Amino acid sequence: MVGLKPSDVPPTTAVKFLGAGTAACFADLLTFPLDTAKVRLQIQGENQAMQTARRTQYRGVLGTILTMVRTEGPRSPYNGLVAGLQRQMSFASIRIGLYDSVKQFYTPKGSDHSSITTRILAGCTTGAMAVSCAQPTDVVKVRFQASIHLGAGSSRKYSGTMDAYRTIAREEGVRGLWKDNLPCHFISAFGAGFCATVVASPVDVVKTRYMNSPPGQYRSPLDCMLKMVAHEGPTAFYKGFTPSFLRLGAWNVAMFVTYEQLKRALMNVQMLRESPF
């Protein structure tokens, strides 16, 4: 171990777990307003009567963010940030931090390389584990991002993040925190950049609408999708496309650059602690 650079030392599972979660939180801090703008654009037009009452129309990424700041205050683009950070810490830690360990578990003994099948199996396993753990935080994040607060005269449905968990569980049952969108996450996980956004945007819009819906509005994600097509047309599936694309690229760059640096720093700390000198 002595004389090795941190980058030459294989990071431990704990280092990868902590590093991935922390890096994902840092990336979320930088790109969260884009995510909020995406959610607002995705739900726009869902309920025409409600939209008329709100008298708020969002146009474009910058226009959406500026409208939110003007009508709801400068902190509004960060509505749901606490739940968002909780989601990243739980989701990224498992999906990225545990991937190598799970892949090694599936790799046959004596084999030097993992097959494509093994990698896909490891990705699906960590993805399922991550979604199961992070799903409640994602529901709460979307609810906060979608809610419009117009100053002292209006009331918030949730007084805080923990209150949101309790309220959703009380009013919609514990299952309300795990609204079924597992296929949405898996589909959204494949691909990268523009192609990923093109493929994932319809699923992501349905996910946002379904998570934000009150009990009884949609029978299932499929029912949500069919109603969107019937009432708003197929273009509704690409609402919020631009902020989705911008956030995906910026988030991945920030996340993986930070992740690599954190791994090196954490391994350096571990080496110093283990060094006898």
Side-chain angles (χ1 to χ4, degrees):
M1 296 290 287
V2 178
L4 291 177
K5 297 179 181 179
S7 57
D8 297 328
V9 181
T12 63
T13 300
V15 166
K16 288 184 284 189
F17 189 86
L18 180 60
T22 305
C25 286
F26 177 75
D28 226 36
L29 282 171
L30 296 180
T31 62
F32 203 81
L34 292 173
D35 193 39
T36 304
K38 177 204 73 172
V39 169
R40 291 295 179 93
L41 287 167
Q42 287 177 338
I43 65 172
Q44 184 164 253
E46 180 180 25
N47 187 322
Q48 294 297 334
M50 187 178 296
Q51 277 304 127
T52 302
R54 288 173 176 171
R55 298 182 183 279
T56 302
Q57 292 293 322
Y58 303 116
R59 293 182 176 87
V61 184
L62 184 60
T64 299
I65 295 175
L66 291 178
T67 299
M68 290 178 61
V69 171
R70 185 177 67 254
T71 59
E72 303 172 54
R75 298 174 60 182
S76 58
Y78 282 91
N79 285 344
L81 178 62
V82 174
L85 295 179
Q86 291 173 346
R87 178 186 184 276
Q88 294 302 340
M89 183 55 73
S90 55
F91 187 83
S93 295
I94 295 173
R95 183 171 63 91
I96 299 174
L98 295 184
Y99 172 78
D100 287 335
S101 298
V102 174
K103 182 180 69 174
Q104 190 63 35
F105 174 79
Y106 285 130
T107 301
K109 292 183 178 180
S111 178
D112 294 332
H113 302 285
S114 301
S115 64
I116 294 296
T117 303
T118 298
R119 294 177 184 179
I120 293 175
L121 186 59
C124 289
T125 300
T126 54
M129 292 167 60
V131 168
S132 299
C133 292
Q135 183 69 7
T137 63
D138 203 15
V139 172
V140 171
K141 176 182 76 75
V142 168
R143 295 287 179 92
F144 271 104
Q145 289 176 315
S147 64
I148 295 180
H149 182 66
L150 300 177
S154 62
S155 59
R156 289 181 180 273
K157 183 172 184 179
Y158 311 118
S159 60
T161 304
M162 298 309 299
D163 178 62
Y165 289 120
R166 290 192 294 266
T167 302
I168 294 173
R170 183 176 65 250
E171 295 180 354
E172 305 174 39
V174 176
R175 291 183 61 183
L177 291 168
W178 271 274
K179 284 200 169 185
D180 181 21
N181 72 327
L182 188 61
C184 301
H185 282 281
F186 280 134
I187 294 175
S188 299
F190 287 95
F194 184 81
C195 292
T197 310
V198 171
V199 173
S201 185
V203 183
D204 194 35
V205 175
V206 172
K207 181 202 77 168
T208 298
R209 293 282 184 96
Y210 192 65
M211 281 184 170
N212 189 54
S213 65
Q217 182 172 354
Y218 303 117
R219 294 190 301 273
S220 66
L222 179 61
D223 179 54
C224 177
M225 180 187 71
L226 294 176
K227 287 182 177 178
M228 282 177 59
V229 174
H231 297 145
E232 303 172 57
T235 57
F237 290 119
Y238 287 93
K239 288 187 173 183
F241 179 87
T242 301
S244 293
F245 174 56
L246 293 175
R247 181 180 182 274
L248 179 64
W251 191 94
N252 277 290
V253 170
M255 190 276 173
F256 284 105
V257 169
T258 305
Y259 179 43
E260 289 302 320
Q261 297 304 313
L262 279 172
K263 279 198 301 184
R264 294 188 180 191
L266 290 171
M267 287 306 299
N268 194 23
V269 170
Q270 181 174 320
M271 288 173 59
L272 289 174
R273 291 180 60 185
E274 294 177 355
S275 176
F277 304 102

